[in-house]
Each structure stands twice: as structure tokens, then as C-alpha cells.
Amino acid sequence: MSLRRLSILAAGLTLAWLGVAAADSRDALLNVSYDPTRELYVDFNKTFAKHWQSETGNTLNVRQSHGGSGKQARSVIDGLDADVVTLALGYDIDAIADAGLLPKNWQSRLPYNSSPYTSTIVFLVRKGNPKAIKDWGDLVKPAVQVITPNPKTSGGARWNYLAAWAYALQANGGDEAKAKDFITRLFKNVPVLDSGARGATVTFTQRELGDVLLAWENEAYLSLQEFGADKFEIVVPSLSILAEPPVAVVDKVVDRKGTRKVAEAYLQFLYTREGQEIAAKNYYRPRLPELATQYAGRFADVKLVTIEQFGGWRAAQEKHFSDGGVFDQIFQGR
Amino acid sequence: MPADNTSASSARSESAWVRWTLIGGALLFLALFLLLPLVVVFAEALRRGVDAYWTALTEPDAVAAIQLTLTVAAIAVPANLLFGVAASWCIAKFDFRGKNLLITLIDLPFSVSPVVSGLIYVLLFGMNGLFGPYLRSHGIQIIFAVPGLVLATIFVTFPFVARELIPLMEEQGSDEEEAALVLGASGWQTFWRVTIPNIKWGLLYGVLLCNARAMGEFGAVSVVSGHIRGETNTMPLHVEILYNEYNFVAAFAVASLLAMLALVTLVVKSALEWRFGDELAATRH
Amino acid sequence: MTVINAPATALRQPFFKKPSILPGFGLTLGFTLSYLGVLVLLPLAALVVKAGGLGWVGFWTAVTSPRVLAAFQVSFGLSFVAALVNAVFGFLVAWVLVRYDFPGRRLVDALVDLPFALPTAVAGIALSALYAPNGWVGKPLNDLFGLKVAFTPIGIAVALTFIGLPFVVRTVQPILQDLPPEEEEAAASLGASRLQTFFSVIMPALLPALVTGFALSFARGVGEYGSVIFIAGNMPGLTEILPLLIVIKLEQYDYVGSAAVGTAMLLVSFLMLLVLNLLQQWMRSRHAR
């Protein structure tokens, strides 16, 4: 066999295998999600697959991809074939909509702003709370080390940041300069910036770095569950933010792959009693009123600001997290 | 070769205590920086016992990651092998203008950061890239799928085989091939019967290093993989995911497989060097 | 067997290539150039074109923004430190391996290549587990000296030292092996002390190799990603390395910005490749004396 024939053969094989790789997407969903939902969707996918099989007789294989919310949105824009996205905040799905993969009114297509569950930001501290951290104000004390992921890449970190900002505004009678100073001092106490919420949790719990972790409520409870309540405790601050992690079907992808029906059923199932139970069990706050009441004891009662008070995600993103925004400014002084 | 400590060479050696201090210092440094990381991988992997270790390795996503890593290497390594042989043939056997430039270009991927190696394929094949939209409209997926992983791996392992073979073939010259041709052998026969036997150990050596890097690459494939569990996670990426899921035992279990691969690579490499040191000499200066 | 009979006649002019009776030049060169072009040069060109979208001024602004400059400092500074550590200890290891005999020498010799063979992500989690404040090495360092390694610049330097060590050892070792004994013996017989011989005879002969090893280790450190991100704190301006910054910019939809930093790194790679080639020439000419 000549080299030439060999290379033709190789090229042929490559093409054949490209074809196979491209065709292999039937009866499967890809859910591109953010960091702390790993455990939630492991449970949910199992239940939904069973439900789907009893409804249609088809077996279903749900694939998961997790990472910092912004990063995940970027991958979808770049061509990661997500049938559904379940991200940490609306802005990241807006970015996907801007790229033309789904309509700009995506958020009105499902109930409750397309957020089947909500969450908030709490503090996770070491057992006994040795640094006596009670509220946001304690985070800027000199000897306190705060662990939070990077707001540029992590959705949870952006909620963390905005909750701190809201607190500082409230404590300083709405003075923005003072709020900025507060945030600057807070981030001076941050020794590590992981790219996603899960990395930050690992840094705090496993690497034993820092005195307090700013975490998703569900992530904090999960840490207690994983590592034992004898190691950490949860502190609920006086004020926090209502985090609404949204979900959406990616129209361009499902229409190409022919998976619209199952993708839509998948998201709608999140709003059913069964879906809401799973969310609540994984420490996400359910939306359905009767379940919200049923699980009320599970979640702390805390005063919550909403993203609307920041003028919505686009405004908040532009002001705080874009290049040259407030977050960049506070790092330039260092 | 170690110094001959016995006779006249006292001029070349130090007193015993200096010698042992230096040896001690070197060994301590190596133990701290090389041996300990290796040990910790296995220690962490086996912390919950052999059962937990085995479970972690036979879990479907881990198996998928192992299969994917093998697949990617099975495509990338032969591709670079073919390229390495072709490149070293034209470079070592012929004299032409621009040869040095060509050698430098072949070396280039070694000095490019792995992250950049991934980035370039995203810029080329991503939906915002040059060919992304066209390929998508024809149903072909490159990045976030196996082809992207293969391309990134080929890029980072690009020079390995060529780099082993070029100096080796240059040193061997072309006399034997020319003799064979004069005696009436065809070019193809000459290549298989004369050249290949001459370079086979160097070839194996290059393939070995190429394979180790191909299976272990992280930065470049991390940029082009969509991190889909069981689908586009190679072993190193799976290690990262498990690590981020608090699943340290499993993370280190998969890592220990990669560490074993590294050890096997080292053993075979050392064996080749000891056994065929002369034939590889050109490549090791 | 068309291979022999179909030489690319156009390429056979003496101006371009010296005549040879060996076949396959056209085929192999053609294949080499197309493979290289499609898989390496074209994608790299895409990077430069993307960054070129900024224009000269935009490109300059992008790569001189404070955060990028800080990342340059971190990457270059710590790679320099690591390469320096490697130059010292790599030299020591090479010396011990070549000059002394001790039990397990061959094993140690083989182990030196571990960083070449061990996947970087594995090195990353292993080092991070070792040097974290609760790790085997990190805990005593923290308890005894209050020294934090993981998630600080020191941690990055540790990872880069791990990655770069074999470069120094493997460049110095062969030169040291081939060093002719006569000069040392002559120096000794002329009454030079061992230390004097070392600095005036041995060191000058090894210097080119040592510098080359240093440069190789440095160059590798600047681009390294996998082993560093697990142990680095990833703080902008403090422990954020260049490759990570590229990834972060990419994750923020800033394609052009990440391409700009990538291009800047590529230019640096070219420059270092050039320096390395010059160094290796220097080494060869010195060694061939």
C-alpha cells in the first residue's frame, strides 16, 4: 500500500467517524448547567427519565455539563449542543439569546420568570464560628478571610457580590461611593478566586482556607451534608438577595436535533409537584405555593432584595462586571 | 558514566562528606518535588480502601472517559507518527532551502501554551469562528466533540516523533538507502527494509513520549471540550470534574491510572535508553 | 509504486534543492507542509487575525491593561524564580547523577523525567493536596513557619519547579558526562583547589548548557496551565497566570481580548524559541571546542 493510499484511507475513516459523531444525538438531552446543580440534576434526571418512559415508552439519556455559569453560556454560544440550559442567572441566557440561539423573550415562556426554583446567598463558617461572623459588616474586618468565586465567570459570585452591594447601600443610606469602598475592602479579604462556585466550596471545605464562604444556600446545606454538621455551620445575614436561576430550551438546537418535545417536557417537569419536591430536597426553594409552605421550615426567613432593584441583569452586568466596571476598578487599586 | 572513584581520578572527586551531602541534598529535593506528589496520588486514591477505588474506576462515566482518552490517542498518535516519518524523511535525507525554518515551525507547538493550542481551534471552529457556522450548517461538530479533542491533542503532540527522528536520521545519513537503490530496490522497499529497521527504536521512543502527552493533555482539551460527562470528558478532564464534586477518592483513583501510565512510560523509556542507547544517541546528544 | 517515478519535478531545481537519488522528496515535503499548514499554521493564523481585528492601538491597549500586565508579571516572574530554583537543584541533580555512584542511581535517573510523563492535571491535584494548609507538606510548613504555599505565589512557583526540573537536568547531564577529565586533572596538578577547579574549569564549560536548561524551563513555565490552576489562588494581579487570563477572557465572551493575550503569548514564544536556538548554537560551539 502506498503512502498516498494510506492517507486516502485515513481521510476516509476520519470522515466516516465524523459522520457517526454528528448523527449520534437521538433520544438524548444535553443539559448545560452551572456548578452547584450537579446533585440536583442527578436526582431529577433519574426521575424524569422514568416519567418520560412511562409517558412515551422511550428511554432517555440526559447528559450533564457543569461549570461556572458565564463560562457555560459561552460554550453554548460557541456551539456546545445544549438542548436546555439551566444557568445561575438571567444575564447568561440573555447572552445566548443575543447570539440568536433562542428568542429574546425566553424568560416569559415559563412560569415565574422561567425560574422553577430560587435560592439565596448565605455564609458558611467553621464550627463554633470562631471569627464571630454574623453579618456582611463582619466580612470586612481585617483578620477575616472570605472565600468567594470570581464574579467574572461564576453566577453565584455575581449574586454574592450584589447581595454585599445591597447591604452596603442600605447600611450607608444609599451612598454608592461608600458601597464601593465596602466592596473593595471585602475583596481585599479574599485570598482565592475560583472560577466556579464548586471550586470555591472545595477551597473552603477541603483545603481549609478562609474563615467564611459566601455560598448558594443549597451549596451550603450540601456541604453540611457532605462533611458533617460538626465541621461547619450556616450563618444567615440580615439581608440577602433573591437568586432566580433560570431555565430555557435552546430553540436552535432542539429544532435541529428534533428534541423540542422532550426538552420542553423536561423543563415543565421541574414545575410539577415531583420536580419541586426534588428541588426542595436538594435545598432549592420551591416555587409552587403548597410546597413552599410545606418546606418553609427548611429555609431561613431572611429579607431579600431582588435583581430588579439593580435595574435588571443587563444594567447590573454593565455597571459592575463588564470590562472596566466596578469590579475591575476595585482590583486596580491593589 | 559515574566517575571512576578508585584510582588516579582523585583530582576529579570530592571528599566523602561533600559527596554525601550533595547526594543527600539532591535526593531530598527529588523526594520532595517528584516522589511525594506521586505517592500522594496513590495514597489519596486508596484512602477509602480498594473497593472504593475499584468502584470509582468502573463507574460508567469513568469508563467512558478512559475509552475516550484511548480513542483520542489512537487517532492523534498515528497521525503524528505518519507526519513525523514524512517530515524527518524530507528534512534528514535532502538538502533544500528553508529547511531550518521548517524545523523551527515543527518545533513551534512545544513553545505554545496549551491554552492557546485550544483557543486557536475555538477561534477556527467555534460558532463565532471562521468555519464554525459553515460546518454547523452541514451538521459537522468539531469543538465540544471528539474531533476537537483530537485536533487539540494532535497540535500539542505535534513535534514529538519528528523531533526524535530528524537528528537520528541526519546522523545515519543516506548511504545505506542509496546503496539499496543502486542495487535495484524500489524506493518503497528501501524505506521498509533499510530505513525503518534503522530508526525503529527512535520511532518507538518518539511514539512513547507522544502517547504519554496525548493521553495526559489537560489545558488544550479543556478549552475545546464541552465538559459533558460520559461524552467529551477525557481522563484528565474527568479528574478535574470529580475533584470539583468533592469526590476526591474517585478523582485520585482516575489520576492514579494516569500516574501508572506515566510510570510505564518511564520504565519503557529507560529500558529503551539502556538497551538501545547507541541507536538513540543522536536524539539524546 | 508510483512514489519513485513521480517526483515533483518543479521542486527539483538545484536552486531549491540539492539533487539526490533518493525518492519521495516531493511526497514527504508536500505532506509535511500540508499537515503543518492545516493543523498548526492555519489555526495560529486564525488567532492572529482575530487579534488583528483590534488594530494596532486596540491590541496595544488590550495587552497593556493593568490586569494583563499583572498576569504577565506573575507568569514571567514566577517562571523565572522556578527556573532559577531548577538551575540550582537541576545542576545539583545532574552532578550527583553523573559524578557519584550510589544505590538506586539509575532509578533516580529515570524518575527525573516524571514531570514529562505525568499529566499536568494529576501533578496539579497532587501538589495542591500536598501543599494545602492541611496537606502532608503544607501543614508542617504552616504550623512551624506560618508559611502558606498552596493558593499563594509560592504555590505557583512550586508547580512550575516541578514542571521545569527535567529540562535543566537533561541539558546539563550529557555535557557533564562528556567533559574531558584532562582539564580538571591539569588544574589540580597546577595546585588549584577543588572549588577553584569547579569555578574556573567546570562551570565555564557547563554554563551554556545550564543557561539553555534555564531558558527551556522558563519557557515551559510561562505557558503552563494544568498543574498551576489547581494550586494557584487565581487572584487577579496576584496569582493569576497568563493562560488562566486567556481562559477567563474566553469565558466572558471576550474572544478578541483572549486572542490578543494569546497572540502576545505567541510572540513571546517565538522570541523565546529564537533565543533558545541561539543559546543552543552557543552551547554546541562551546562544546565542540
Side-chain angles (χ1 to χ4, degrees):
Chain A
M1 192 161 35
S2 79
L3 257 185
R4 199 169 295 164
R5 252 180 270 162
L6 203 73
S7 49
I8 290 170
L9 183 72
L13 281 175
T14 316
L15 279 179
W17 153 80
L18 278 174
V20 172
D24 182 29
S25 62
R26 268 183 308 140
D27 274 313
L29 274 186
L30 174 59
N31 175 0
V32 171
S33 194
Y34 62 111
D35 247 335
T37 56
R38 292 163 203 256
E39 291 74 16
L40 165 68
Y41 282 109
V42 167
D43 285 358
F44 181 79
N45 291 347
K46 254 185 240 152
T47 314
F48 179 72
K50 250 182 244 152
H51 166 81
W52 184 250
Q53 190 162 23
S54 69
E55 290 273 293
T56 65
N58 293 344
T59 54
L60 172 70
N61 181 13
V62 185
R63 293 278 182 214
Q64 288 291 141
S65 171
H66 294 276
S69 185
K71 161 186 165 181
Q72 294 293 79
R74 197 274 304 171
S75 297
V76 173
I77 293 171
D78 252 344
L80 180 59
D81 260 344
D83 300 279
V84 298
V85 283
T86 53
L87 295 177
L89 41 86
Y91 178 79
D92 290 329
I93 301 186
D94 279 341
I96 301 174
D98 288 347
L101 292 173
L102 52 102
K104 301 222 176 195
N105 68 347
W106 63 271
Q107 200 149 21
S108 59
R109 294 194 298 184
L110 285 166
Y112 302 109
N113 285 331
S114 289
S115 306
Y117 39 75
T118 67
S119 190
T120 187
I121 301 300
V122 297
F123 303 165
L124 189 69
V125 297
R126 304 201 183 279
K127 190 71 195 172
N129 198 356
K131 294 275 166 96
I133 291 156
K134 294 273 186 294
D135 205 352
W136 293 100
D138 298 318
L139 301 183
V140 298
K141 287 182 179 162
V144 173
Q145 283 200 324
V146 184
I147 306 293
T148 170
N150 188 345
K152 290 271 192 170
T153 50
S154 154
R158 274 175 267 174
W159 291 112
N160 290 346
Y161 173 104
L162 291 180
W165 184 269
Y167 168 85
L169 275 186
Q170 190 202 42
N172 292 299
D175 186 335
E176 290 233 335
K178 282 191 177 145
K180 189 173 162 188
D181 177 59
F182 178 85
I183 291 280
T184 308
R185 282 192 290 151
L186 194 157
F187 273 91
K188 278 222 168 81
N189 282 350
V190 178
V192 186
L193 275 183
D194 289 288
S195 74
R198 189 46 68 87
T201 313
V202 169
T203 300
F204 181 76
T205 54
Q206 203 61 22
R207 302 281 159 249
E208 296 180 12
L209 205 73
D211 303 304
V212 51
L213 173 72
L214 308 187
W216 290 97
E217 183 175 42
N218 55 290
E219 183 84 351
Y221 277 109
L222 184 72
S223 304
L224 288 193
Q225 212 176 316
E226 283 285 324
F227 299 105
D230 55 330
K231 281 191 141 170
F232 305 104
E233 47 188 82
I234 290 173
V235 171
V236 181
S238 65
L239 174 101
S240 195
I241 193 161
L242 175 71
E244 297 184 298
V247 300
V249 166
V250 185
D251 296 58
K252 274 271 168 66
V253 176
V254 293
D255 288 344
R256 181 161 40 79
K257 299 204 313 199
T259 48
R260 179 177 283 278
K261 234 178 118 188
V262 56
E264 280 174 353
Y266 180 79
L267 292 188
Q268 268 148 16
F269 196 68
L270 281 167
Y271 289 91
T272 62
R273 213 188 145 80
E274 235 174 328
Q276 294 274 295
E277 290 258 6
I278 295 171
K281 285 206 179 98
N282 282 280
Y283 300 99
Y284 292 83
R285 299 182 175 211
R287 287 285 205 178
L288 283 188
E290 69 261 35
L291 276 138
T293 344
Q294 184 189 332
Y295 283 96
R298 212 177 162 96
F299 303 102
D301 193 17
V302 52
K303 189 183 161 200
L304 298 173
V305 298
T306 68
I307 189 62
E308 305 314 323
Q309 281 161 261
F310 294 86
W313 262 114
R314 279 183 196 267
Q317 178 80 21
E318 181 60 32
K319 176 170 177 185
H320 293 279
F321 308 120
S322 62
D323 269 351
V326 177
F327 181 73
D328 275 353
Q329 292 163 26
I330 66 175
F331 267 96
Q332 280 170 20
R334 290 167 72 106
Chain B
M1 282 298 105
D4 178 4
N5 294 327
T6 46
S7 59
S9 64
S10 67
R12 292 187 74 201
S13 101
E14 290 74 34
S15 57
W17 72 267
V18 175
R19 207 158 61 222
W20 285 108
T21 315
L22 292 180
I23 293 175
L27 292 186
L28 189 71
F29 176 81
L30 291 178
L32 202 64
F33 273 82
L34 297 189
L35 200 56
L36 220 48
L38 199 58
V39 173
V40 87
V41 170
F42 291 97
E44 291 277 332
L46 293 166
R47 203 172 55 182
R48 301 244 171 92
V50 179
D51 283 350
Y53 180 76
W54 189 244
T55 316
L57 292 184
T58 47
E59 180 248 351
D61 287 339
V63 173
I66 295 169
Q67 281 170 346
L68 180 61
T69 294
L70 294 176
T71 311
V72 169
I75 300 167
V77 175
N80 279 338
L81 170 66
L82 198 65
F83 164 77
V85 172
S88 48
W89 179 268
C90 72
I91 288 173
K93 302 287 182 198
F94 300 94
D95 259 325
F96 57 93
R97 281 175 185 240
K99 192 158 140 176
N100 283 327
L101 179 69
L102 186 57
I103 295 177
T104 311
L105 286 178
I106 290 174
D107 260 353
L108 188 61
F110 268 167
S111 50
V112 172
S113 172
V115 168
V116 176
S117 320
L119 173 70
I120 54 181
Y121 289 105
V122 173
L123 293 180
L124 212 53
F125 297 117
M127 284 307 284
N128 288 300
L130 242 43
F131 303 133
Y134 173 81
L135 290 171
R136 169 51 58 87
S137 66
H138 290 73
I140 297 171
Q141 176 99 2
I142 303 274
I143 57 167
F144 308 121
V146 180
L149 297 172
V150 171
L151 284 174
T153 306
I154 286 182
F155 186 96
V156 292
T157 57
F158 194 81
F160 276 103
V161 177
R163 214 182 213 205
E164 286 304 317
L165 289 187
I166 292 169
L168 186 64
M169 281 167 74
E170 268 177 348
E171 192 175 82
Q172 286 172 349
S174 327
D175 297 351
E176 290 183 39
E177 280 86 355
E178 277 162 12
L181 286 170
V182 169
L183 291 175
S186 75
W188 208 233
Q189 284 170 327
T190 309
F191 176 73
W192 280 112
R193 306 240 175 98
V194 178
T195 311
I196 287 290
N198 275 339
I199 59 168
K200 59 176 184 246
W201 298 117
L203 203 63
L204 185 59
Y205 193 86
V207 165
L208 187 73
L209 297 185
C210 182
N211 181 61
R213 179 76 193 267
M215 290 189 173
E217 178 53 26
F218 175 76
V221 292
S222 163
V223 177
V224 296
S225 158
H227 303 273
I228 309 168
R229 290 194 73 143
E231 210 170 291
T232 60
N233 270 330
T234 62
M235 284 166 80
L237 297 176
H238 194 56
V239 168
E240 187 200 20
I241 284 202
L242 291 169
Y243 188 80
N244 281 340
E245 285 177 1
Y246 310 126
N247 206 340
F248 298 103
V249 168
F252 279 100
V254 178
S256 75
L257 281 189
L258 290 168
M260 275 187 253
L261 168 76
L263 290 177
V264 169
T265 304
L266 286 187
V267 167
V268 178
K269 178 173 169 297
S270 304
L272 280 176
E273 282 165 8
W274 292 335
R275 180 76 181 73
F276 305 103
D278 298 340
E279 287 167 58
L280 297 169
T283 65
R284 297 174 63 220
H285 306 289
Chain C
M1 298 307 120
T2 52
V3 181
I4 299 181
N5 302 326
T9 41
L11 295 177
R12 281 219 148 181
Q13 291 151 10
F15 165 75
F16 175 64
K17 164 184 162 286
K18 278 193 196 157
S20 159
I21 68 158
L22 288 183
F25 177 70
L27 177 73
T28 52
L29 184 70
F31 179 69
T32 302
L33 289 181
S34 18
Y35 193 86
L36 183 76
V38 170
L39 285 165
V40 175
L41 300 182
L42 176 73
L44 286 176
L47 174 77
V48 179
V49 166
K50 190 84 185 177
L54 282 168
W56 283 111
V57 180
F59 178 77
W60 187 249
T61 324
V63 298
T64 53
S65 78
R67 188 162 174 202
V68 177
L69 283 183
F72 263 102
Q73 258 172 20
V74 171
S75 277
F76 281 84
L78 292 172
S79 300
F80 189 84
V81 171
L84 219 55
V85 173
N86 277 332
V88 173
F89 284 94
F91 184 87
L92 175 68
V93 170
W95 180 269
V96 164
L97 286 177
V98 172
R99 288 296 173 101
Y100 305 141
D101 210 358
F102 55 92
R105 191 180 59 86
R106 280 193 150 187
L107 203 67
V108 174
D109 194 4
L111 186 72
V112 167
D113 278 332
L114 181 72
F116 282 159
L118 194 68
T120 53
V122 177
I125 62 167
L127 290 172
S128 164
L130 271 182
Y131 288 93
N134 60 351
W136 291 358
V137 182
K139 193 167 170 55
L141 284 178
N142 195 13
D143 292 352
L144 296 177
F145 310 108
L147 185 68
K148 287 198 166 61
V149 178
F151 317 115
T152 69
I154 308 175
I156 301 180
V158 166
L160 295 180
T161 306
F162 175 87
I163 290 302
L165 178 71
F167 289 100
V168 177
V169 180
R170 292 303 182 226
T171 338
V172 173
Q173 204 175 8
I175 311 288
L176 190 59
Q177 228 148 39
D178 296 346
L179 214 58
E182 293 82 9
E183 290 184 23
E184 281 174 64
E185 279 158 12
S189 66
L190 290 172
S193 77
R194 191 65 193 136
L195 219 55
Q196 280 171 325
T197 311
F198 179 80
F199 280 110
S200 53
V201 176
I202 301 175
M203 265 321 261
L206 292 181
L207 195 64
L210 195 59
V211 175
T212 306
F214 173 88
L216 282 168
S217 162
F218 176 77
R220 174 71 201 264
V222 171
E224 179 57 21
Y225 177 72
S227 62
V228 178
I229 51 153
F230 290 97
I231 201 173
N234 307 335
M235 291 295 286
L238 196 66
T239 49
E240 186 175 75
I241 54 169
L242 272 175
L244 180 71
L245 189 59
I246 293 180
V247 172
I248 288 182
K249 280 188 178 288
L250 196 62
E251 289 174 357
Q252 291 168 225
Y253 321 119
D254 187 2
Y255 297 88
V256 184
S258 85
V261 180
T263 306
M265 282 194 77
L266 195 65
L267 290 178
V268 171
S269 310
F270 266 125
L271 218 70
M272 285 196 290
L273 210 59
L274 195 73
V275 172
L276 274 168
N277 278 343
L278 290 175
L279 277 174
Q280 261 150 1
Q281 267 173 25
W282 181 44
M283 188 170 112
R284 267 196 293 271
S285 68
R286 284 290 291 265
H287 193 50
R289 258 181 327 155

